Amino acid sequence: MPDAFFTSSKPRKRKRTDSGAKGSSSRSAIKSSRKGPPQGLAKHGSSKVNNVQKTKLADEELSEHTDEGEGGIDDMDLRAEEEDLGASGEEDDEETPAEKRLRLAKLYLESVKESLADGEFDAAEIDKELISARLKQDVLEHSGKVHLFVADSLNFTQVPTKVLRTRGHRFSVTSAVASESGKHLFTSGKEGAIIQWDLATGKRLMTFHKVRPPNSKEKGKGKAQVDLSIKGHTDEVLALAVSGDGQYLASAGKDRKLVVWDVEKGEWIKAFGGNLGHKDTISALSFRKGTHQLYTGSFDRTLKVYDLSPSVMGYVETLFGHQDHILSVDALRGETCVSVGGRDKTVRYWKIVEETQLVFRGGGRSRIREVMDGGLRGDDEGDDPDEGIEGARAAETVKKFIEGSIECVAMIDETTFVSGGDSGSLCLWSTLKKKPVFTQALAHGFNEVHSETEGLIRTPRWITSVASLRYSDVIASGSWEGDVRIWKLDPKLKSFSLVGTIPAPGVVNSLQLLSPPPEFFKRSTWINPSATESNVQDPSALIRKGGTQPILLIAGMGQEHRFGRWLNLKEGVVNGTIVVAFSPRTLP
């Protein structure tokens, strides 16, 4: 028999009843050797110890029964196994991880073949090249990189003939967005109204008018509290956004309210504001692609994140960092967004989950600053004093077009985006570099004004709006010279070049590039005005021939800029929306 000195008093797991009693007795002996509490408390404490011992004994007895295979525990285990087998398909307990990956890969290839046979191709035409191309496309879509190089396949050189023009706003159109399905078009105006259109026919479906608040006679409406019970907007609507599934429409403007609408029912759902809302004009909205997560930007220099899922429908968090008014926000599939801060001359790339931000500083730099930083070589600085004076004069002319404000931004893929500023420069950015990868100076030319004292004054037209076809090489930018310009990205994403212009008289306050599904072109009457359901060309056939699907350009036009009245264009300018369809070059 072992010596009691070497016997451990620590209880062991899964002890029998007799051994458990010994362990409990040893523990009670140790406790009794210590100085105990007063008598009144000792009785109460002893009852607790007895209860604990009873429960432990009961647990040990239960473990004994389970070891013998008695009771209802086995039935519960059987049910759990049945659920696992049903969830994993044909999964076997003896299947190795490598065999499981192989089985899932075969199932995925079969689903790809079925989708190709049902949709675009015949079963006889399916080969390894088509399957490999489809697999590469799926990988690129989930990687978040540019994978749609369609600029060369679309016809941007000729004047477009398939154009839809809508008119319904008394004042300038501030925003125009369409749902990804191509079913609806939404426009907002400075008069405070929102109009819903049928994008396939161009007919007006519904109008959400501006609401007159009950205390409208009171002064200081900018400092008044936001009334969230009013079902609508009480001031100018400046921004719109549609969720990816087309279920929700978000609108915001000068009344500092974010309003959520039900698209199908055409009803007001909820309004956000007050203490958790913005304190100034809401200027920009953007939905995260494929979700109900919404990003908002405001003149109060903050971004806010909202979750508009039916089960949540609430505020999430606030992002701080900008030093001036936020003028534009954009987002794609990832949990990131990009914003521009006006005259703080920064583009900020926000990582929502990590709660961090990347700051990209725009604007030009003076010659003196570059010399101090060692950015100029000796021959550029000029050794001759006379040449130095001439160089300084030339530098002064260049300084006139130094960027003072970044006005708009659009994401191309998860790591690449493009911005436009008041210097007329269109800049291409990457998250891997602090400076622009490429800059197109004077993208929309000069604005010439004759002065009696100064003569001809030439100033660059600033970029009022920019958009991109998601994950593709097509970019659009707008100003007020009368054209929307289409740019093509380099395959290496190092530069871009002009490929076409679209007549658009007025100030371009909003731009969107969209690739709707083939069903939209099948039922669109303004794209095929003389066609009926029987003789409309099958869109899938167009994709087979050209390999490219037609795209839409949506431009919100106005006589004034959406944020102010610095410009007032009257001649030939209509407050409305222009929708242009670009067809592949292979179309007859």
Side-chain angles (χ1 to χ4, degrees), residues 391-409:
R393 290 175 180 175
E396 288 180 0
T397 59
V398 175
K399 287 180 185 178
K400 292 182 181 179
F401 310 123
I402 290 177
E403 195 169 44
S405 174
I406 303 180
E407 302 285 324
C408 49
V409 67

Side-chain angles (χ1 to χ4, degrees), residues 60-100:
E60 289 166 359
E61 292 176 359
L62 180 62
S63 64
E64 290 178 1
H65 289 297
T66 55
D67 293 339
E68 295 175 0
E70 297 177 1
I73 305 300
D74 291 337
D75 296 335
M76 297 174 62
D77 293 338
L78 288 175
R79 286 195 295 270
E81 289 178 3
E82 289 178 0
E83 292 176 0
D84 293 338
L85 288 173
S88 59
E90 299 177 357
E91 185 176 358
D92 190 2
D93 293 338
E94 299 179 356
E95 186 179 29
T96 63
E99 292 174 348
K100 182 178 180 179

Side-chain angles (χ1 to χ4, degrees), residues 151-152 473-475 486-491 495-499:
D152 291 332
D473 58 345
V474 180
I475 304 172
I486 310 296
W487 309 84
K488 172 197 168 185
L489 266 178
D490 180 75
S495 64
F496 53 85
S497 58
L498 184 66
V499 294

Side-chain angles (χ1 to χ4, degrees), residues 169 171-176 187-189 509 556-558 562 575-577:
H169 294 279
F171 299 140
S172 297
V173 173
T174 57
S175 181
T187 60
S188 62
N509 288 321
M557 310 300 300
R562 68 187 187 114
N575 297 321
T577 306

Side-chain angles (χ1 to χ4, degrees), residues 125-175:
E125 297 178 357
I126 300 176
D127 55 7
K128 293 182 179 180
E129 294 182 359
L130 293 175
I131 295 176
S132 63
R134 178 63 178 271
L135 293 177
K136 290 179 181 179
Q137 182 180 357
D138 292 345
V139 170
L140 290 173
E141 285 181 355
H142 288 84
S143 67
K145 297 180 180 179
V146 171
H147 60 275
L148 298 174
F149 295 95
V150 298
D152 291 332
S153 303
L154 296 170
N155 189 3
F156 296 116
T157 57
Q158 298 180 357
V159 178
T161 57
K162 302 173 182 178
V163 181
L164 172 66
R165 301 179 187 272
T166 64
R167 295 182 57 181
H169 294 279
R170 292 189 297 115
F171 299 140
S172 297
V173 173
T174 57
S175 181

Side-chain angles (χ1 to χ4, degrees), residues 86-255:
S88 59
E90 299 177 357
E91 185 176 358
D92 190 2
D93 293 338
E94 299 179 356
E95 186 179 29
T96 63
E99 292 174 348
K100 182 178 180 179
R101 289 194 296 268
L102 179 61
R103 178 175 56 83
L104 294 177
K106 290 180 179 179
L107 291 174
Y108 177 71
L109 288 176
E110 290 178 0
S111 65
V112 170
K113 289 181 181 180
E114 291 177 358
S115 63
L116 290 174
D118 295 339
E120 304 170 2
F121 302 95
D122 295 332
E125 297 178 357
I126 300 176
D127 55 7
K128 293 182 179 180
E129 294 182 359
L130 293 175
I131 295 176
S132 63
R134 178 63 178 271
L135 293 177
K136 290 179 181 179
Q137 182 180 357
D138 292 345
V139 170
L140 290 173
E141 285 181 355
H142 288 84
S143 67
K145 297 180 180 179
V146 171
H147 60 275
L148 298 174
F149 295 95
V150 298
D152 291 332
S153 303
L154 296 170
N155 189 3
F156 296 116
T157 57
Q158 298 180 357
V159 178
T161 57
K162 302 173 182 178
V163 181
L164 172 66
R165 301 179 187 272
T166 64
R167 295 182 57 181
H169 294 279
R170 292 189 297 115
F171 299 140
S172 297
V173 173
T174 57
S175 181
V177 295
S179 58
E180 293 184 4
S181 62
K183 186 176 181 180
H184 296 122
L185 169 68
F186 298 92
T187 60
S188 62
K190 278 192 173 184
E191 74 279 358
I194 303 172
I195 302 179
Q196 179 180 357
W197 310 81
D198 185 349
L199 188 56
T201 61
K203 295 180 180 179
R204 182 189 299 196
L205 300 178
M206 192 174 300
T207 303
F208 306 104
H209 294 282
K210 177 181 175 181
V211 180
R212 186 179 181 88
N215 55 350
S216 60
K217 295 182 180 180
E218 297 181 3
K219 296 182 179 180
K221 65 178 181 179
K223 297 182 180 180
Q225 293 184 354
V226 179
D227 190 356
L228 300 180
S229 62
I230 298 177
K231 297 184 177 181
H233 287 282
T234 58
D235 209 333
E236 297 180 12
V237 180
L238 300 179
L240 297 175
V242 183
S243 60
D245 57 359
Q247 183 177 359
Y248 297 121
L249 169 69
S251 61
K254 283 191 174 182
D255 57 1

